[in-house]
Amino acid sequence: MAAIERGDRQRRDDAAAAGSLLAAALALPGVLPATAHAQAAPDKGIFELQYLSYRDWQPGRDRMKVDAPAFYALVPLSDTWVVEGGMVYDAMSGASPLYFNVLSGASVGDYRTAGDIKVTKYFGDYAVSVGAFVSSEQDFLSRGASVNVQLYSEDRNRTWTLGMAGTNDRINAINGVAPNSSRNSLEFLVGVTQALSPNDIVQSNLTYYTGHGYYSDPYKPLDTRPTTRETWAWLTRYNHYFEDADATLRLGYRLLFDSFGSDMNTFEVAWVQALPWGLTVTPGLRFSTQTAADFWKNPPFPRGYREGQDYTADTRLASWGAITAGVIVGKTLWDGWNLSLRADYYRQDPDWQIFGTGSPGIQTFSARWLQVNVTKDF
Amino acid sequence: MPMQRIRRTFRAMAAEHTVELAAVDPAQVHAAAQAAIDDVLRIEAKFSRYRDDSVVTAINRAAGATAVAIDAETAALLRYADQCHALSGGAFDITSGVLRRAWDFRRTPASLPDPATLAAAVALVGWDEVEWSERAIRLPRAGMEIDFGGIGKEYAADRMATICLDRGLRHGLVNLGGDVRALGPQPDGSPWRVGIRHPRVPGAAIGGFDLAEGALATSGDYERFIEVDGKRYCHILDPRTGMPVAHWQSVSVAAPLCVAAGSCATMAMLLGPDAAPFLAAQGVRWLGVSADGAIQGT
């Protein structure tokens, strides 16, 4: 966003320097009909290669490793048609997610292949996208489809987004728990993005998810979760570009209500600093805090378990707070090539729950991501 | 079906204006005319320096004191005025209205301002010194003033055209006190014939432009002036000297937007002998009558 705005300002300055009073006058509001400008489809293609390395651990124990190469491409087919798609291949190894000090049933040594494709048609004041995705593992198959509509205001300062997606998941755990299980879900999104000034942009999205089927973790003994789930998520972001510093401040807040009872607040802040030689440095910090699911039981395992009642000892549904600290360094190379490196460190701790008490007896959990991206515009 | 053709005359900004529109649906024509006129009245109320509650009055009243918060439209006009100032090398300056305190074009018998009064007024001119951003403006010294003369009326004319175009009209001509913007040709497809007033012979024309779309604006020394010892002193004052310009009797400029045409014409008057290369660089068609009555232009 900030880069685009700087570009506009630069073009205006160039026009003024060349002596064009008319170009300056065209910047006045309402002197020409806005309907003359239709929302343009992207006129440039993008090709992207990414490599992600993920590790997580708990005190004294290394756990999951994931190495994932990925590929993404966006190709304009004409002035109004755009197709985009991606593929990712994950190789996972290590222990399956741990709960307290007990190792779960099966060790994970698995591969995942996932892909998606989306086609967008731009019609002047609105655009419609249709997409499909699939993700396949040895014991898990997920397939889905989505429709999105974007509506642009006459002055292009506001965009409304309406979206809907449906997903079907098939679960066939290799340990024979819950054979041929499945779940189906629907997701609805309504969002608005508004440019408040050339330097300020605000976005707000509301997402509703509803699903039914098998939500338990087949590799965790006794894990029994409700067969329906609903969530409401409200996400608000605000970006401000500081001209003097040539930097953008990004703020974000997300509130999630989950029918499982595990509600989450997330606060995010990042600073995108442009530097000479086409460098950008983006330090960021995120804090999340969540309450435990209604059917979460504190350790020791399996205290609180009752036959026929919902139960989990998965720490992902416990009460805790978590901090993610990271930095992205980007560099514009030649001929539309860009390179970016990203490192993130994550730590989850029950003592960091700020809207209540953290779950007693669970261990801290740490993870790190390293990511390399190479993109080419053509 | 014949086109419904209407002509409405209205008063705003202390002058008489007309708008001519044509379309098949009479209701559409009347509604567009009314919406366009309402917008002119809105702009007058917001930016007139004669209104007690206008943005411009609030800014001027706070001169030498506090900054005044402004909205995006005001900021856009200031940005445009700033660009006019830069392009004219400081000749076009929206803080030059204070010079009117030294020059009285109504007093009889007419007389020139005394040098001390004029020097004091010139000292209060200076867009360079104004502190402004997209959100606020502060005039640094008490007594300083801004006004949108040379921009505001022309901006209103362009917006009138846009409002009519947005309502689906394709034939019409907006005339705000002699600054004209066409939103499309006459109903029969022929251009509007816009005459240019003779600067010395009321009611006579010295030429004309055919306008199917775009704008024509004129700046002249005949709108307000005094004569002292047989010499004419007009209301267009050079902000650097405080003295009236004398090189041109009038300059008319045709450009796609009325606001560009109007500010070009005013700048040409201020630039005097340098006007021709300036107008050539702007790529506009123009017609000027110099002090000796000779006609120049493209």
Side-chain angles (χ1 to χ4, degrees), chain A residues 19 21 24 29-33 200, chain B residues 83 87 135 155 159 162 181 282:
Chain A
L21 206 56
V31 293
L32 273 188
D200 296 272
Chain B
Q83 283 162 322
L87 279 169
R135 298 212 175 71
Y155 168 65
R159 286 187 55 101
T162 297
R181 165 84 193 267
Q282 292 299 327

Side-chain angles (χ1 to χ4, degrees), chain A residues 90-164:
Chain A
D90 296 347
M92 288 182 270
S93 63
S96 75
L98 184 79
Y99 56 97
F100 353 127
N101 301 312
V102 180
L103 263 181
S104 56
S107 185
V108 175
D110 200 3
Y111 305 97
R112 181 175 78 104
T113 312
D116 65 343
I117 186 162
K118 188 164 93 170
V119 179
T120 305
K121 166 81 173 159
Y122 289 83
F123 301 88
D125 288 341
Y126 64 101
V128 180
S129 306
V130 177
F133 56 90
V134 62
S135 172
S136 168
E137 293 166 56
Q138 189 185 357
D139 53 358
F140 185 77
L141 175 68
S142 177
R143 290 166 296 184
S146 67
V147 182
N148 264 287
V149 179
Q150 293 208 302
L151 306 162
Y152 310 102
S153 69
E154 252 183 36
D155 58 7
R156 306 296 159 204
N157 282 337
R158 187 182 313 122
T159 304
W160 287 95
T161 304
L162 301 170
M164 185 178 152

Side-chain angles (χ1 to χ4, degrees), chain B residues 92-166:
Chain B
F92 186 99
D93 191 320
I94 59 167
T95 65
S96 63
V98 289
L99 298 172
R100 279 184 299 258
R101 291 182 204 159
W103 287 91
D104 186 341
F105 294 100
R106 291 195 196 89
R107 187 166 52 173
T108 47
S111 66
L112 301 184
D114 77 80
T117 310
L118 189 58
V122 170
L124 284 171
V125 178
W127 174 247
D128 283 337
E129 302 163 46
V130 175
E131 301 151 21
W132 70 285
S133 71
E134 297 292 315
R135 298 212 175 71
I137 180 170
R138 179 176 172 272
L139 304 179
R141 283 179 287 131
M144 285 184 85
E145 281 180 20
I146 61 162
D147 66 76
F148 287 118
I151 300 178
K153 181 159 58 89
E154 295 79 1
Y155 168 65
D158 284 324
R159 286 187 55 101
M160 287 185 85
T162 297
I163 286 167
C164 296
L165 286 164
D166 277 346

Side-chain angles (χ1 to χ4, degrees), chain A residues 27-44:
Chain A
L28 289 167
V31 293
L32 273 188
T35 43
H37 322 291
Q39 181 68 23
D43 59 354
K44 276 188 174 174

Side-chain angles (χ1 to χ4, degrees), chain B residues 3-297:
Chain B
M3 285 221 179
Q4 179 77 18
R5 191 165 175 158
I6 67 157
R7 178 188 173 91
R8 275 195 60 181
T9 299
F10 62 100
R11 272 196 80 78
M13 304 175 182
E16 189 102 325
H17 314 297
T18 58
V19 52
E20 276 194 72
L21 296 170
V24 172
D25 176 2
Q28 183 192 18
V29 178
H30 285 285
Q34 193 55 52
I37 291 168
D38 287 347
D39 194 58
V40 176
L41 300 175
R42 177 191 73 83
I43 290 170
E44 180 183 23
K46 185 169 173 181
F47 296 113
S48 167
R49 65 193 165 91
Y50 302 107
R51 296 277 187 106
D52 232 23
D53 54 352
S54 78
V55 172
V56 166
T57 301
I59 292 167
N60 292 341
R61 202 176 274 148
T66 54
V68 176
I70 54 174
D71 68 352
E73 185 181 36
T74 310
L77 285 166
L78 290 173
R79 198 187 311 125
Y80 182 69
D82 181 56
Q83 283 162 322
C84 291
H85 183 258
L87 279 169
S88 64
F92 186 99
D93 191 320
I94 59 167
T95 65
S96 63
V98 289
L99 298 172
R100 279 184 299 258
R101 291 182 204 159
W103 287 91
D104 186 341
F105 294 100
R106 291 195 196 89
R107 187 166 52 173
T108 47
S111 66
L112 301 184
D114 77 80
T117 310
L118 189 58
V122 170
L124 284 171
V125 178
W127 174 247
D128 283 337
E129 302 163 46
V130 175
E131 301 151 21
W132 70 285
S133 71
E134 297 292 315
R135 298 212 175 71
I137 180 170
R138 179 176 172 272
L139 304 179
R141 283 179 287 131
M144 285 184 85
E145 281 180 20
I146 61 162
D147 66 76
F148 287 118
I151 300 178
K153 181 159 58 89
E154 295 79 1
Y155 168 65
D158 284 324
R159 286 187 55 101
M160 287 185 85
T162 297
I163 286 167
C164 296
L165 286 164
D166 277 346
R167 286 168 170 265
L169 271 65
R170 293 295 174 264
H171 304 283
L173 189 76
V174 170
N175 177 1
L176 291 196
D179 290 338
V180 173
R181 165 84 193 267
L183 56 105
Q186 300 197 53
D188 63 5
S190 63
W192 303 91
R193 313 224 51 189
V194 182
I196 294 173
R197 181 184 151 170
H198 192 297
R200 294 290 178 268
V201 185
I206 50 152
F209 276 88
D210 285 348
L211 221 55
E213 53 186 12
L216 180 70
T218 299
S219 183
D221 68 358
Y222 47 81
E223 289 170 43
R224 275 197 307 284
F225 63 90
I226 51 175
E227 278 187 354
V228 180
D229 299 334
K231 188 169 188 277
R232 179 183 289 230
Y233 296 90
C234 79
H235 77 293
I236 300 171
L237 303 165
D238 188 320
R240 297 159 294 193
T241 61
M243 293 302 288
V245 297
H247 188 83
W248 301 100
Q249 294 180 4
S250 77
V251 177
S252 302
V253 173
L257 292 180
C258 195
V259 68
S263 42
C264 264
T266 306
M267 279 186 238
M269 291 292 286
L270 289 162
L271 290 170
D274 300 328
F278 168 79
L279 293 167
Q282 292 299 327
V284 294
R285 290 194 299 151
W286 62 284
L287 191 149
V289 182
S290 57
D292 57 9
I295 293 175
Q296 295 178 41

